Amino acid sequence: MRETKSSTKNDAMDRKGDDDDDEKKKDEKVADGAVAATRYVIFDLDGTLINTEAIVDDVVVAVVTKLTSSNSDFQREIFDAAEDARGQRPLDASMELCEKLKLEGVVDPKTLLGLCSETLRWGEEGMDVIPDMPGAMRLLRFLKRKKVPMALATSTSKEELTKKMKNSETKNMLEYFDAICCGDEVKKGKPDPEIFHLARERLGVKKKDAGRCLVFEDTPHGVSAAKAAGCCCVAVPSLRREKFDMYKGADRVYHSLLDVELEDFGLPKFEDWRDVKTVEFVADEGDERISTTTRKHERFLKLERFLELTGPVIRGFGRGSKMLGIPTANLDVVPLKQQIDKLAPGIYFGFAKLLGPNKSTGVHRTVMSIGYNPFFNDKRKSIEPWLLHTFDEDFYDETLSVLVVAYVRAECNFTTVDNLIERIKKDARVCEEAFDLGLVDGLDEWKDWFVL
Ligand code: ADP
Ligand code: RBF
Ligand code: MG
């Protein structure tokens, strides 16, 4: 992804001269090395703005569990396989699932798909609420406030879109768009560019100015379609890191919508990051945070809604203390799935308290990683809070409650363990100093949580 920096210059920048006069007037200065000067934004829906994937995963787990009468260990496998199968056409995904979970003799891909579709009736009474993708509403609200014209380009049909929105976390999401284009309005679906041409036209942008449109996509097919339409394209993959190669065509790849640097595309810069002026920003080796604008300090993003995660401390991969000298009190992701789907994988900080024998140690500050720990290439998601307190003994099985308050960064890969350790210690400093300097407000609302 770092390499995208040099390969990303969109030709919209080099094609002055043949732009409309109107377009020229709107042109503002773009930061040195920025990817492009875009003025319009086009969004994909599923997996980009709303998390339909999580619901599909749940249905797959429920259906396969029933078919195989399986135990909780196998449920974890189903859960992982379902996640892996995301972003494909339904039948392809079903085939992958049958193969990975060795379901031959139990169910065939077509039947499995049928069973899942029966359960997945979007918009019907009793369906789970479809959560927004982390950072989606922050992005939409900000662009709306800055009067950036926006369109939706979804493969979903109009009818299905209405149903999905009825059950969405943010029911009025469609009000943010100046144009809406659905899958049944085009002859060919993504990866064909047709739907992005349509969205561009509806935004009133001529074909030769397609590079002024910034597309947000989560799948490789979507990226291909956007690029074929001549648009600039940001990918926020819904597929695993191992599959990130499939996103090579994108102008830039981010781990989540929270990490997007709009100014790199000629759009207004987010105003809600808070600098921790006492902690210097150094782009570590292995650090994938890219920005063309030089950043001087570490920073954090206060969550719009703090999140409480509670559960027994479980055994993790057994390497935190041994390998890193940094113990992390792991929580089980399975019962907390709904809550952590609200968070982008990444590094967060907040508070933690133990509710068993260690209750008397009080409330502690904590930094945590929620995700796949790319350095170790974990296949399973984990929640790993490092409590910034020295304990006399381990506290496995004791109930731990964590209050997640702020986002710091995406997970990174590092070439050496020392670099990883150094980075984690820096995260701890960001947390300590953010609280010491009183940079985190909104804690009053949670004052009951702090009473032990
Ligand atoms: P595991 O892989 O099993 O999580 P770790 O090496 O990460 O093993 O050690 C984590 C355990 O260490 C926790 O479950 C907890 O019992 C203990 N521990 C001791 N001090 C701390 C601390 N400051 N933060 C988190 N866990 C701690
Ligand atoms: N692991 C990574 O692979 N990449 C990271 O960027 C990363 N950042 C972390 C930040 C914090 C604050 C903590 C507590 C852990 C982080 N880890 C990261 C996770 C670390 O790999 C994990 O705790 C150990 O693997 C123990 O299981
Ligand atoms: Mg641990």
Side-chain angles (χ1 to χ4, degrees), residues 29 63 77 95 104 114 133 171 185 216 222 258 290 327 375 392 423 448:
K29 203 171 171 278
V63 169
E77 264 182 60
M95 273 156 58
E104 65 274 302
M133 285 302 286
K171 295 206 168 42
E185 293 184 87
F216 282 85
L258 296 177
I290 36 173
F375 183 78
D392 298 332
R423 179 60 240 186
D448 290 350

Side-chain angles (χ1 to χ4, degrees), residues 44 98 138 144 179-180 236 297 304 357 392 416:
D44 164 61
C98 288
R138 165 182 178 256
K144 191 85 190 160
I180 291 171
V236 180
H297 308 109
E304 285 172 47
D392 298 332
T416 68

Side-chain angles (χ1 to χ4, degrees), residues 183-242:
D184 51 351
E185 293 184 87
V186 291
K187 287 195 200 78
K188 289 185 184 163
K190 301 170 190 176
D192 190 277
E194 193 179 344
I195 195 150
F196 287 114
H197 285 309
L198 183 64
R200 170 186 50 71
E201 273 165 29
R202 288 191 180 161
L203 285 173
V205 180
K206 294 188 178 140
K207 193 169 184 179
K208 66 179 168 63
D209 296 324
R212 296 203 168 263
C213 299
L214 177 62
V215 172
F216 282 85
E217 261 292 349
D218 72 303
T219 68
H221 280 333
V223 171
S224 307
K227 291 312 294 176
C231 300
C232 187
C233 183
V234 156
V236 180
S238 57
L239 304 185
R240 293 282 184 76
R241 196 176 261 263
E242 296 95 88

Side-chain angles (χ1 to χ4, degrees), residues 260-302:
V260 175
E261 316 244 34
L262 291 171
E263 66 276 24
D264 286 356
F265 302 90
L267 294 166
K269 184 179 170 160
F270 277 118
E271 292 153 359
D272 49 2
W273 281 98
R274 295 184 194 179
D275 277 351
V276 183
K277 295 236 163 74
T278 48
V279 190
E280 195 191 349
F281 173 86
V282 183
D284 315 274
E285 169 241 10
D287 195 329
E288 289 164 1
R289 295 171 299 170
I290 36 173
S291 176
T292 53
T293 45
T294 25
R295 191 182 303 153
K296 291 199 181 68
H297 308 109
E298 284 294 330
R299 56 180 197 172
F300 69 92
L301 190 63
K302 200 186 83 171

Side-chain angles (χ1 to χ4, degrees), residues 39-43 143 148-151 203 213-216 267:
R39 291 290 171 273
Y40 306 84
V41 178
I42 303 175
F43 287 97
L143 291 172
V148 176
M150 291 184 272
L203 285 173
C213 299
L214 177 62
V215 172
F216 282 85
L267 294 166

Side-chain angles (χ1 to χ4, degrees), residues 74-239:
F74 191 61
Q75 269 186 11
R76 261 178 188 279
E77 264 182 60
I78 306 169
F79 175 87
D80 287 332
E83 251 193 11
D84 278 347
R86 285 177 183 182
Q88 300 181 75
R89 284 177 306 181
L91 190 58
D92 293 339
S94 188
M95 273 156 58
E96 188 180 308
L97 279 168
C98 288
E99 199 177 306
K100 276 219 174 118
L101 299 170
K102 304 193 172 62
L103 297 179
E104 65 274 302
V106 179
V107 70
D108 64 275
K110 260 202 175 143
T111 311
L112 176 61
L113 180 60
L115 289 170
C116 292
S117 315
E118 257 170 45
T119 321
L120 267 175
R121 294 188 192 270
W122 305 113
E124 267 179 28
E125 223 42 54
M127 266 296 292
D128 283 345
V129 171
I130 305 171
D132 299 338
M133 285 302 286
M137 287 316 297
R138 165 182 178 256
L139 179 57
L140 290 180
R141 268 190 233 115
F142 180 72
L143 291 172
K144 191 85 190 160
R145 185 153 68 78
K146 296 293 177 185
K147 301 191 164 57
V148 176
M150 291 184 272
L152 189 71
T154 175
S155 308
T156 297
S157 69
K158 225 176 196 123
E159 196 189 334
E160 201 153 71
L161 177 65
T162 313
K163 285 189 193 162
K164 279 182 183 168
M165 287 341 281
K166 245 171 79 183
N167 250 355
S168 277
E169 183 181 344
T170 306
K171 295 206 168 42
N172 70 340
M173 191 187 271
L174 297 186
E175 289 169 16
Y176 285 78
F177 301 103
D178 302 279
I180 291 171
C181 306
C182 291
D184 51 351
E185 293 184 87
V186 291
K187 287 195 200 78
K188 289 185 184 163
K190 301 170 190 176
D192 190 277
E194 193 179 344
I195 195 150
F196 287 114
H197 285 309
L198 183 64
R200 170 186 50 71
E201 273 165 29
R202 288 191 180 161
L203 285 173
V205 180
K206 294 188 178 140
K207 193 169 184 179
K208 66 179 168 63
D209 296 324
R212 296 203 168 263
C213 299
L214 177 62
V215 172
F216 282 85
E217 261 292 349
D218 72 303
T219 68
H221 280 333
V223 171
S224 307
K227 291 312 294 176
C231 300
C232 187
C233 183
V234 156
V236 180
S238 57
L239 304 185

